[in-house]
């Protein structure tokens, strides 16, 4: 008989697969583009701004590390391995709990033979086998968070990088309130909230961290009304202005008032971490904007092919290497 944890994990797998299928089916309609082909924002929103901002926070750290291979655990719909290979030349791999998400559909052809279906609590890789192991927006959902962290550290040769917008609790009272409002029997809910001292005990000496978002530096307050937020982000209608706003939003890295989430970097052994170079933030943000526009074009092409009735998706049970 399966354990309660295993049962919740299996329900999560089914939930993720159903939502993945639904998202692909929706590609039959013509989506409204966010970006022009040249990277000019066409209809910037808070969601899309934060999507690029999170990548900026992560890649600012990756620019400071030295690695030749990478694994993204819980890669989902995102394309971190493709971006990592494009920027650093590293061999990078996708992995996800849901097999369908690892398939090389038209919008993520880089998954072909670079993806594996895994349970993150039991990674099928030898010790110290991959230079950089990352898990972005995964920690808060895990049924077995400590086991997964241990697996990431076991497999990583040089660095572990994790992010979460929800998993860092302000204090134990706020954590108790969050747990009170969450039914942890449900799949894919935010169920893990760590105190900073607990992360310090888990990762030991020489772990590095900063906030994932700093609310006062965003184009609009997260407490503002929907209309005010929409207007503030819609005003970012030029690429240069958007890049400047991204750089401002990433500038504050502490965990004081207004900070949300965490970017966590654990160097292993004597793996080097170069000093930050804020002068490179604008160029990095501009590159990420260009990559977002490029990826949108790929997705739009896939949607158009779906509308024409072309067969562009691999069989759902196709093996991956």
């Amino acid at each position: 008989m399966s354990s309660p944890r295993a049962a919740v994990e299996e329900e999560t797998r089914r939930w993720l697969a159903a939502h993945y299928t639904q998202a692909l089916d929706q590609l039959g309609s013509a989506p409204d583009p966010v970006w022009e082909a040249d990277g000019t924002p066409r209809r910037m929103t808070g969601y899309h701004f934060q999507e690029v901002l999170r990548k900026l926070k992560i890649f600012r750290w990756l620019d400071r590390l030295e690695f030749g291979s990478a694994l993204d655990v819980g890669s989902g719909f995102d394309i971190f391995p493709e971006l990592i290979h494009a920027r650093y030349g590293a061999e990078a791999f996708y992995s996800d709990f849901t097999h369908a998400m690892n398939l090389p559909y038209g919008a993520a052809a880089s998954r072909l033979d670079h993806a594996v279906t895994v349970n993150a609590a039991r990674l099928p890789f030898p010790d110290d086998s991959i230079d950089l192991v990352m898990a972005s927006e995964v920690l808060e959902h895990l049924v077995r968070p400590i086991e997964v962290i241990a697996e990431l550290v076991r497999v990583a040769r040089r660095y572990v990088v994790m992010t979460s917008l929800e998993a860092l609790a302000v204090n134990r009272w706020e954590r108790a309130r969050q747990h009170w409002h969450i039914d942890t029997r449900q799949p894919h809910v935010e169920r893990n909230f760590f105190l900073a001292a607990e992360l310090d005990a888990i990762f030991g000496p020489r772990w590095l961290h900063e906030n994932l978002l700093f609310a006062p530096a965003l184009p609009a307050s997260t407490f503002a009304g929907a209309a005010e937020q929409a207007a503030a982000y819609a005003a970012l209608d030029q690429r240069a202005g958007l890049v400047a706003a991204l750089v401002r939003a990433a500038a504050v890295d502490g965990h004081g008032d207004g900070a949300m989430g965490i970017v966590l970097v654990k160097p292993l052994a004597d793996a080097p971490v170069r000093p930050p170079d804020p002068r490179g933030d604008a160029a990095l943000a501009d590159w990420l904007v260009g990559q977002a526009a490029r990826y949108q074009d790929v997705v739009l092409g896939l949607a158009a092919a779906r509308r024409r009735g072309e067969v562009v998706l691999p069989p759902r049970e196709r093996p991956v290497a």
Side-chain angles (χ1 to χ4, degrees), residues 46-298:
Y47 173 84
H48 294 100
F49 181 89
Q50 290 188 21
E51 189 175 38
V52 181
L53 176 58
R54 293 185 193 195
K55 286 186 171 66
L56 175 59
K57 298 285 278 193
I58 293 169
F59 276 87
R60 289 201 314 175
W61 280 101
L62 298 188
D63 278 0
R64 299 169 58 188
L65 310 181
E66 296 180 5
F67 57 94
S69 58
L71 172 71
D72 185 9
V73 177
S75 47
F77 289 102
D78 222 322
I79 57 168
F80 275 106
E82 182 175 328
L83 297 177
I84 286 171
H85 178 71
R87 188 165 181 84
Y88 310 109
E91 190 169 23
F93 298 87
Y94 298 83
S95 67
D96 201 87
F97 196 38
T98 304
H99 181 75
M101 287 186 175
N102 295 316
L103 298 177
Y105 57 91
S110 62
R111 294 175 195 259
L112 182 61
D113 296 330
H114 281 78
V116 61
T117 303
V118 300
N119 183 325
R122 299 186 301 276
L123 293 175
F125 305 106
D127 297 356
D128 308 324
S129 56
I130 301 169
D131 286 345
L132 167 71
V133 179
M134 67 176 292
S136 180
E137 304 308 302
V138 172
L139 178 60
E140 65 273 19
H141 299 295
L142 296 170
V143 177
R144 294 180 273 180
I146 303 302
E147 292 177 47
V148 171
I149 291 172
E151 278 292 271
L152 301 183
V153 173
R154 179 186 67 80
V155 170
R157 183 184 298 120
R158 312 199 86 188
Y159 310 98
V160 171
V161 176
M162 303 185 76
T163 76
S164 175
L165 185 59
E166 293 88 6
L168 182 64
V170 175
N171 54 55
R172 63 182 67 254
W173 300 110
E174 178 63 19
R175 174 166 63 183
R177 186 191 68 80
Q178 290 169 313
H179 273 302
W180 179 260
H181 292 285
I182 289 173
D183 182 356
T184 56
R185 297 169 297 178
Q186 299 302 312
H188 206 59
V189 296
E190 288 78 28
R191 65 181 75 239
N192 300 311
F193 309 99
F194 292 90
L195 302 177
E198 293 169 341
L199 292 173
D200 190 50
I202 291 168
F203 287 97
R206 205 186 169 218
W207 72 289
L208 309 166
H209 54 93
E210 65 175 79
N211 66 61
L212 187 58
L213 299 176
F214 183 63
L218 296 174
S221 168
T222 53
F223 299 104
E228 181 180 339
Q229 291 198 48
Y233 286 103
L236 299 173
D237 56 1
Q238 298 297 319
R239 181 165 176 167
L242 173 61
V243 166
L246 288 165
V247 172
R248 286 194 300 271
V252 180
D253 58 10
H255 293 287
D257 291 345
M260 298 181 289
I262 188 169
V263 184
L264 185 157
V265 179
K266 172 62 178 179
L268 302 173
D270 58 349
V273 178
R274 291 186 293 272
D277 181 9
R279 295 172 300 176
D281 285 356
L284 175 57
D286 187 72
W287 180 76
L288 289 168
V289 166
Q291 292 298 315
R294 180 194 62 79
Y295 185 56
Q296 174 193 261
D297 288 346
V298 175

Side-chain angles (χ1 to χ4, degrees), residues 17-48:
H19 281 69
Y20 170 84
T21 302
Q22 182 183 28
L24 290 181
D25 290 342
Q26 289 174 348
L27 283 176
S29 60
D32 188 13
V34 176
W35 310 94
E36 301 289 356
D38 64 356
T40 299
R42 179 171 175 174
R43 56 172 191 92
M44 184 52 47
T45 68
Y47 173 84
H48 294 100

